[in-house]
Amino acid sequence: MIPPAPIRDIHPGVRCVLAPNPSPMTYHGTNTYLLGTDRVAVIDPGPDDDAHLAAILGATGNGAQITHVILTHSHLDHSALARRLADQVGAPIYAFGDSHAGRRSDLDGIDGLGGGEGVDWSFIPDITLCDGEEIATVEWRLRAIHTPGHMGNHISLAMGDVLFSGDHVMGWATSMVSPPDGDLRAFMHSLRKLQNRGFTRFLPAHGDPVENPETRLQELLDHRQMRTDQIRAALAEQADTPMGLTKRIYADVDPRLHGAALRNVMAHLIDLMDRNQITAAPALSLQAIFSLR
């Protein structure tokens, strides 16, 4: 598949600068969005890359000023360039909070749980955005919607009927939910939170725009429910380790992706344990399950 152009007009008043960090987890790379022509907001600056920084600055236009640097969440493929960009242009960084914000602290210390993939633990915003809070200029207005699940501090940003959906909703893949930074129950709640709100287009942080938001939200809800049902059925048939479950359930997936799939399986197991729906081994604790990796 041919990747999109590095810089393109993606929506009226919005430009997309594609970061040069393609991978199985980032698809063609991170979409950095620029809003406005005079007072510009940069959403998800992306990886710390000289060429990408130059592309962002070059795409702002003559006489334009970057006044806001906004993060959907603090994974390094979104946040690593934020401080360098903000310092260079003299703009504050906005986010829901640091990398601990919204995180499930009750899962800390469970041996074998793992997690922390790609988290920018050094990230600290200058200004925190609460759920429902708005920021605006004469050219644009954004409303923060806290959408934890992929990460505890994840927000989506509504601009009228368009939503910058970060990693929460993408068209090319489902989001990885890796505990303790990610949480499946929160992810499902966040998907439902976006339903029936009149959005006509999602602009995700990776991949092409989602032109059918309601359909995609339901697809993701159905997909996660299908995986939950698969795990419950697999455990009823035979007790297994998380990796054993991953290999059985994701048998048709490239084994090189089993590591990422394992993180999702762990998220589903935590959710099932939280809801007392694992009946094959009711006496097992989370500690016992994840010590069997």
Side-chain angles (χ1 to χ4, degrees):
M1 183 180 295
I2 299 175
I7 302 175
R8 54 187 171 142
D9 294 317
I10 202 76
H11 192 83
V14 182
R15 305 201 77 192
C16 178
V17 183
L18 179 65
N21 61 332
S23 76
M25 299 305 295
T26 61
Y27 201 39
H28 295 308
T30 301
N31 293 328
T32 295
Y33 293 108
L34 277 59
L35 284 65
T37 55
D38 294 325
R39 294 172 61 81
V40 177
V42 176
I43 298 176
D44 287 339
D48 189 2
D49 179 271
D50 290 344
H52 189 51
L53 175 61
I56 292 171
L57 296 174
T60 56
N62 293 331
Q65 179 184 3
I66 294 175
T67 56
H68 299 69
V69 177
I70 310 171
L71 272 292
T72 60
H73 63 294
S74 53
H75 277 141
L76 286 164
D77 58 315
H78 298 250
S79 64
L81 189 60
R83 181 55 61 190
R84 187 175 165 199
L85 173 64
D87 288 347
Q88 181 159 335
V89 301
I93 299 173
Y94 295 74
F96 182 79
D98 65 16
S99 294
H100 295 276
R103 191 169 178 267
R104 278 191 65 170
S105 59
D106 62 308
L107 297 178
D108 289 340
I110 295 179
D111 291 338
L113 178 57
E117 305 88 357
V119 175
D120 186 352
W121 293 113
S122 67
F123 175 75
I124 300 174
D126 299 309
I127 299 173
T128 57
L129 290 173
C130 299
D131 185 38
E133 187 171 352
E134 291 190 346
I135 50 177
T137 69
V138 296
E139 295 184 82
W140 50 263
R141 179 178 298 274
L142 293 172
R143 184 178 74 258
I145 303 174
H146 188 211
T147 47
H150 173 66
M151 192 169 178
N153 69 351
H154 193 290
I155 56 173
S156 301
L157 298 157
M159 183 179 69
D161 61 356
V162 174
L163 185 79
F164 296 92
S165 56
D167 282 6
H168 183 53
V169 180
M170 302 177 289
W172 65 283
T174 59
S175 298
M176 185 170 76
V177 179
S178 178
D181 315 297
D183 180 75
L184 182 62
R185 185 181 297 189
F187 181 77
M188 298 289 275
H189 174 76
S190 294
L191 290 174
R192 297 186 185 100
K193 185 176 183 178
L194 297 180
Q195 288 183 308
N196 304 313
R197 297 183 69 154
F199 293 119
T200 61
R201 200 177 199 215
F202 286 174
L203 300 180
H206 306 281
D208 294 330
V210 176
E211 308 292 359
N212 50 351
E214 291 295 337
T215 299
R216 185 58 177 156
L217 287 168
Q218 191 59 54
E219 287 174 351
L220 292 173
L221 286 165
D222 291 344
H223 176 78
R224 291 294 179 173
Q225 185 59 54
M226 178 268 291
R227 290 298 187 203
T228 292
D229 293 342
Q230 285 181 317
I231 290 172
R232 188 187 293 111
L235 285 173
E237 179 182 304
Q238 176 187 334
D240 209 337
T241 65
M243 181 52 85
L245 287 169
T246 300
K247 291 178 179 178
R248 289 162 62 191
I249 293 167
Y250 290 85
D252 58 341
V253 172
D254 186 335
R256 290 175 297 179
L257 299 178
H258 280 178
L262 171 64
R263 305 308 307 165
N264 281 322
V265 168
M266 287 183 164
H268 281 272
L269 288 171
I270 289 172
D271 179 55
L272 286 167
M273 292 287 287
D274 284 344
R275 295 187 286 138
N276 296 314
Q277 291 191 10
I278 293 181
T279 58
L284 283 181
S285 65
L286 289 175
Q287 178 74 66
I289 286 177
F290 295 119
S291 67
L292 298 174
R293 288 182 67 186

